[in-house]
Amino acid sequence: MDLVFRDAEVVDGSGGDSYRADVGVEGGRIVSIVKEAAAAGCQRPTARRVLDAEGLVLSPGFIDMHAHSDLALLRDPDHSAKAAQGVTLEVLGQDGLSYAPVDDRTLDGVRRAITGWNGDGSDVDLDWRTVGEYLDRLDRGIAVNAAYLIPQGTVRMYAMGWEDRPATGPELDRMRRLVAEGLEQGAVGMSSGLTYTPGMYAPDSELTELCRVVAEHGGYYCPHHRSYGAGALRAYEEMVALTREAGCALHLAHATMNFGVNEGRAPELLALLDAALDAGADISLDTYPYTPGSTTLLALLPSWASEGGPEAALARLRDDTTAERIRHHLEELGSDGCHGVPVDWATIEVSGVTAPALTEHVGRRVDGWATARRLLLDDRLGTTILQHVGHEENVRTIMRHRVHTGGSDGILQGLKPHPRAYGTFPEYLGRYVRELGVLSLEECVAHLTSRPAARLRLPDRGLVREGYVADLVLFDPATVASGATYENPRTLPVGIPHVLVDGRFVMEDGRRTDVLAGRSVRRTQAR
């Protein structure tokens, strides 16, 4: 064999009890598991390399169900932000906005709309237009594996621009074709960002029709739904009802209950989901183990302020009368972009800017609309923020749920990004397992491995099993911890010495190797 992990404590991803074993790898797959080999006195497997795993846990690689690494994987081959956490697969194309399928006009609009998430793309050769071409580009070699969701907002932009109106019959037909083609080319489902333009302009009837296409191809729908604040439960109910009508599997993105109006209300959300699950719905969700959210400053504005695209939004911000109307919606009415809750500027911290002259604002709270407006104009809408509006009780309650999975929602841009980008998975293992006991180790690993693999319909990932792909993590349960903090968010974790993708070390002895073993992971038919 190529490699044997000797005397590892195997937490196999099933949720069952751990066990001690020698685990052998060959040709990128797990080929041998000999339980209690030393105690049983059996012949121990041999290999070209034997790694002593005494005192360490061997688990499947972690699957990040909500990642914003769409360009980062191509821009930065090192990608230690995720590899060092034990992430071996990321799900891209989130929140309804990404870079395929596009034409030249759509690509320009997408690049400008999500500069705050991924940079403007000028340092990446954007040489694809279809979903298949983007996945082929990933297949040239990346740090970790990646799956892709078709972004509904991008599809809408492609078919009808930035207009706030229902689609015509021909426009809806074009959207259906774009979604079907993306799924046929390997996408695992479709995402929406229903507090981001132009995706949020779609009525439920339009979303239902697109979800029918997703269901026909065995994919799932992953919405960032219409509110995580005022009306959050109604927004969750809307997604459950919509996907039930479409016959489509549902995965709720960063399923949080934020803002003061939702403090202590996580049990109401879980009761809603349990009722739907008990009635036969196919539902899962992901969360990150932190209370603040992260997005762009532009996203807080009312949706009407962005109709027509980035240049139209900038023109409205320049006009004093219109800017005052925007302020009124933000501060007094509660805009749809801010989840129906009047913005509390004291909760808004600047995490990144694209204009170097504005770096003095990074790490500071926004002191009011005048500053926010100036940032939006001077940074040409590229400013990213942390929004300190979450509740720890809700975070802990939701992560215990039977369909919960882990997703970082990690934005890698900006001088001070949210620490979840570098710390989500060790934060689960170190803080919420070892320190707080919110989850057992076996439970938590299942949340981060086999559950997401089942949602993605991956028949040979997410478990330590003979014949499965050797996407593996070796970590120290006594020391694993996130190094990332709000002050130093790009600090790598500790206690994760080895990470393998396809049987090859991408992290070895705590250091990133030069291996690019990652590839696209494409949709498989429902089993």
Side-chain angles (χ1 to χ4, degrees):
M1 290 182 284
D2 299 327
L3 171 68
V4 166
F5 293 99
R6 181 147 291 169
D7 290 323
E9 189 66 24
V10 177
V11 177
D12 67 5
S14 69
D17 292 342
S18 66
Y19 56 86
R20 194 179 180 90
D22 292 355
V23 178
V25 173
E26 184 175 4
R29 295 202 173 252
I30 301 166
V31 295
S32 173
I33 301 175
V34 181
K35 296 184 179 180
E36 301 291 349
C42 24
Q43 183 174 352
R44 309 193 76 169
T46 60
R48 283 180 285 279
R49 177 177 179 184
V50 176
L51 197 156
D52 181 7
E54 178 78 32
L56 301 177
V57 166
L58 182 69
S59 81
F62 306 136
I63 298 176
D64 188 342
M65 287 295 287
H66 193 108
H68 288 285
S69 303
D70 307 49
L71 297 185
L73 277 165
L74 302 174
R75 173 186 296 119
D76 177 21
D78 181 80
H79 203 50
S80 289
K82 295 301 179 67
Q85 293 186 60
V87 171
T88 58
L89 171 60
E90 299 183 88
V91 185
L92 314 177
Q94 299 288 350
D95 295 329
L97 289 166
S98 190
Y99 304 91
V102 293
D103 56 12
D104 291 348
R105 173 189 55 83
T106 306
L107 179 59
D108 180 65
V110 168
R111 286 175 60 180
R112 298 190 61 186
I114 53 176
T115 292
W117 294 355
N118 297 307
D120 67 6
S122 59
D123 54 350
V124 177
D125 182 7
L126 305 175
D127 60 352
W128 63 83
R129 292 297 178 267
T130 68
V131 169
E133 289 169 351
Y134 175 67
L135 298 179
D136 289 344
R137 176 68 181 277
L138 298 177
D139 284 342
R140 298 180 197 174
I142 48 179
V144 302
N145 297 311
Y148 188 73
L149 294 164
I150 301 164
Q152 170 260 330
T154 300
V155 166
R156 197 174 210 267
M157 197 188 310
Y158 195 150
M160 55 184 295
W162 292 79
E163 297 183 46
D164 183 2
R165 60 171 176 80
T168 64
E171 288 167 342
L172 183 55
D173 286 342
R174 190 177 192 192
M175 283 189 267
R176 286 195 195 98
R177 286 196 302 273
L178 289 167
V179 171
E181 288 167 2
L183 290 160
E184 289 160 4
Q185 292 164 10
V188 295
M190 181 180 76
S191 75
S192 283
L194 300 179
T195 64
Y196 299 123
T197 57
M200 68 191 298
Y201 298 145
D204 282 2
S205 57
E206 181 180 308
L207 296 172
T208 300
E209 287 303 307
L210 298 182
C211 282
R212 293 188 200 280
V213 177
V214 175
E216 288 168 4
H217 289 79
Y220 69 92
Y221 181 43
C222 180
H224 164 128
H225 51 275
R226 297 191 193 275
S227 177
Y228 291 84
L233 285 173
R234 288 195 302 275
Y236 282 111
E237 289 170 355
E238 175 191 12
M239 295 298 101
V240 171
L242 186 156
T243 50
R244 180 172 59 238
E245 182 176 347
C248 186
L250 173 64
H251 180 85
L252 295 164
H254 37 59
T256 57
M257 295 286 286
N258 288 339
F259 301 90
V261 294
N262 289 316
E263 185 171 3
R265 300 188 68 187
E268 296 176 57
L269 166 61
L270 301 185
L272 165 67
L273 300 182
D274 282 334
L277 287 162
D278 292 344
D282 184 358
I283 300 175
S284 55
L285 58 89
D286 66 68
T287 69
Y288 45 82
Y290 299 88
T291 52
S294 179
T295 186
T296 63
L297 184 58
L298 171 67
L300 303 185
L301 272 55
S303 57
W304 58 261
S306 293
E307 185 178 6
E311 285 302 323
L314 287 167
R316 293 185 181 102
L317 286 163
R318 291 187 194 101
D319 180 76
D320 289 343
T321 300
T322 309
E324 170 56 23
R325 185 180 167 211
I326 293 171
R327 184 209 63 77
H328 178 69
H329 275 255
L330 268 174
E331 296 185 345
E332 299 177 36
L333 300 181
S335 77
D336 49 5
C338 197
H339 307 275
V341 177
V343 68
D344 177 0
W345 293 113
T347 67
I348 307 300
E349 177 186 355
V350 177
S351 60
V353 293
T354 59
L358 300 173
T359 53
E360 63 180 297
H361 292 275
V362 175
R364 296 181 182 176
R365 302 295 172 112
V366 176
D367 60 10
W369 170 240
T371 298
R373 181 188 178 192
R374 188 167 64 253
L375 279 168
L376 288 164
L377 287 169
D378 293 350
D379 207 23
R380 294 191 60 78
L381 313 179
T383 304
T384 53
I385 59 168
L386 301 185
Q387 197 167 12
H388 296 267
V389 292
H391 304 285
E392 179 68 17
E393 178 188 353
N394 286 349
V395 169
R396 297 187 193 188
T397 299
I398 293 169
M399 74 169 62
R400 294 188 184 102
H401 195 262
R402 54 178 160 152
V403 298
H404 170 266
T405 68
S408 71
D409 196 11
I411 295 174
L412 299 169
Q413 290 294 116
L415 292 177
K416 292 186 69 176
H418 197 304
R420 68 193 186 193
Y422 283 72
T424 286
F425 295 87
E427 185 78 355
Y428 270 119
L429 297 170
R431 176 168 167 75
Y432 287 91
V433 171
R434 185 180 63 247
E435 296 178 10
L436 299 176
V438 175
L439 295 168
S440 72
L441 181 59
E442 290 86 354
E443 259 186 310
C444 185
V445 169
H447 288 213
L448 307 181
T449 59
S450 63
R451 286 189 188 175
R455 166 54 68 218
L456 296 168
R457 302 190 191 279
L458 303 178
D460 56 1
R461 297 175 195 264
L463 293 168
V464 178
R465 291 281 191 275
E466 290 183 359
Y468 274 55
V469 174
D471 290 349
L472 298 167
V473 181
L474 199 66
F475 64 89
D476 184 346
T479 63
V480 61
S482 170
T485 65
Y486 292 100
E487 287 304 312
N488 297 290
R490 295 186 187 276
T491 306
L492 297 180
V494 297
I496 306 178
H498 302 293
V499 180
L500 284 77
V501 172
D502 195 30
R504 302 167 65 193
F505 285 92
V506 296
M507 297 292 299
E508 189 170 11
D509 296 322
R511 292 184 174 87
R512 177 73 173 93
T513 70
D514 60 1
V515 169
L516 296 176
R519 298 293 184 271
S520 69
V521 174
R522 308 195 186 206
R523 183 189 58 85
T524 57
Q525 293 294 334
R527 289 178 290 161

